[in-house]
């Protein structure tokens, strides 16, 4: 029974906590970790099956894989980094896009019904990987001095405000950027799942009461939320990869 006495099992933080499936050496393995591993296996298996024996005249699976690969390559990587600089990063960005997308899609898959990205640790790790790539690429491309200018936004034409700008840019690039990169994905998936759970539980709760017409309205809203979530899930994967590419583009840009 809920605190307000109405008996409605309102969703909350407990909706994001799962009991361990197994414990090995003190390490707990739960449903979210399982879904993440399945996601990795699905991405690898799909592209291996599509391109492992690629043909000049592609079959249906290869056509679908090529369409997805080309969407990320031309629509995100080439548009941001250019063909010459971006080609080497295409496999990583394609993997990143589909990994995030499938992690998100679990939210509307029966039995799974949980977006892996709504657990903060997963977006944090992905954002950290992008951040490490950005830092190492900036240092490799520009050296120590160029790296310092890049992360501090050094521009001598700013005059007296230059020291303040450099301090702000330093903390923004090294600390705020990876944090917001992770939070953007996490927050959208967290909020979306919470809303979806709320309408789903409300539909069942109202159906078992005298407010059956309200249950119908709640069910319609659940269907609307599912369709909306499918859109948001793809958009969030797109935005995450787009931002990753824009960060790398900043690392490759010349600073004087």
């Amino acid at each position: 029974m809920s605190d307000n006495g109405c008996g409605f099992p309102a969703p909350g933080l407990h909706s994001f906590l799962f009991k361990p499936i197994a414990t090995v050496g003190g390490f707990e393995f739960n449903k979210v970790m399982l879904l993440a591993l399945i996601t990795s296996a699905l991405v690898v298996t799909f592209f291996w099956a599509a391109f492992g024996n690629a043909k000049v005249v592609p079959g249906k699976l290869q056509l679908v894989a090529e369409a997805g690969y080309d969407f990320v390559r031309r629509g995100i990587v080439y548009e941001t980094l250019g063909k010459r600089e971006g080609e080497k990063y295409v496999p990583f960005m394609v993997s990143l896009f589909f990994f995030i997308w499938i992690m998100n899609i679990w939210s509307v898959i029966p039995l799974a019904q949980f977006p892996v990205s709504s657990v903060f640790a997963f977006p944090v790790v992905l954002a950290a990987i992008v951040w490490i790539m950005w830092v190492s690429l900036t240092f490799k491309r520009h050296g120590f001095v160029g790296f310092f200018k890049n992360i501090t936004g050094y521009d001598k034409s700013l005059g007296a405000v230059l020291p303040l700008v450099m301090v702000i840019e330093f903390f923004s690039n090294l600390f705020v950027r990876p944090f917001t990169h992770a939070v953007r994905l996490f927050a959208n998936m967290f909020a979306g799942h919470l809303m979806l759970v709320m309408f789903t539980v409300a539909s069942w709760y109202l159906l078992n009461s005298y407010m059956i017409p309200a249950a119908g309205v709640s069910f319609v809203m659940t269907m609307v939320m599912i369709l909306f979530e499918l859109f948001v899930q793809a958009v969030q994967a797109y935005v995450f990869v787009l931002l990753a590419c824009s960060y790398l583009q900043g690392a490759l840009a010349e600073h004087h």
Side-chain angles (χ1 to χ4, degrees):
M1 175 103 29
S2 64
D3 293 336
N4 61 11
C6 73
F8 176 66
L13 291 178
H14 62 274
S15 303
F16 297 83
L17 300 176
F18 296 92
K19 294 180 180 180
I21 299 173
T23 302
V24 181
F27 178 79
E28 295 182 348
F29 184 83
N30 60 24
K31 174 182 177 179
V32 183
M33 298 175 185
L34 177 61
L35 291 177
L37 287 177
I38 294 174
T39 300
S40 300
L42 286 174
V43 173
V44 171
T45 302
F46 173 73
F47 284 104
W48 184 275
F51 296 131
N53 187 25
K55 299 177 181 179
V56 177
V57 180
K60 294 181 180 179
L61 185 62
Q62 187 178 331
L63 274 174
V64 172
E66 285 180 354
Y69 190 92
D70 206 47
F71 168 74
V72 177
R73 179 176 61 179
R74 296 183 182 276
I76 304 177
V77 180
Y78 285 3
E79 287 292 325
T80 309
L81 297 171
K83 184 175 182 178
R84 185 176 65 86
E85 292 283 9
E87 188 62 43
K88 65 175 72 70
Y89 302 105
V90 171
F92 172 73
M93 295 301 174
V94 170
S95 302
L96 188 61
F97 176 86
F98 283 97
F99 182 69
I100 294 173
W101 188 25
I102 294 177
M103 283 202 305
N104 294 345
I105 283 178
W106 287 119
S107 173
V108 296
I109 301 298
L111 299 181
Q113 296 172 312
F114 188 83
V116 178
S117 302
S118 66
V119 174
F120 194 41
F122 290 94
V124 165
V125 170
L126 295 178
I129 293 172
V130 173
W131 182 84
I132 291 170
M133 286 181 63
W134 169 70
V135 170
S136 59
L137 181 60
T138 304
F139 193 84
K140 180 180 179 181
R141 177 61 66 97
H142 304 290
F144 179 78
V145 175
F147 171 78
F148 180 76
K149 289 182 177 180
N150 188 296
I151 65 171
T152 59
Y154 177 82
D155 184 353
K156 60 183 180 182
S157 67
L158 293 175
V161 299
L162 178 59
L164 177 61
V165 170
M166 291 177 67
V167 171
I168 294 174
E169 286 294 312
F170 177 82
F171 281 99
S172 176
N173 286 323
L174 288 185
F175 301 105
V176 178
R177 172 182 288 185
F179 177 74
T180 56
H181 196 193
V183 166
R184 184 179 286 104
L185 173 60
F186 157 74
N188 278 279
M189 291 300 100
F190 182 92
H193 181 64
L194 202 58
M195 292 294 292
L196 192 57
V197 171
M198 183 182 71
F199 281 111
T200 302
V201 173
S203 298
W204 178 255
Y205 175 77
L206 294 170
L207 187 64
N208 288 274
S209 69
Y210 61 88
M211 300 181 66
I212 294 178
V217 175
S218 182
F219 178 76
V220 170
M221 285 302 301
T222 301
M223 296 297 103
V224 172
M225 283 299 302
I226 289 175
L227 293 176
F228 181 69
E229 275 299 290
L230 286 171
F231 172 73
V232 172
Q233 288 158 7
V235 168
Q236 287 306 309
Y238 177 86
V239 169
F240 194 95
V241 174
L242 180 64
L243 288 173
C245 288
S246 69
Y247 297 156
L248 296 188
Q249 192 277 332
L252 296 171
E254 293 294 333
H255 290 261
H256 303 285

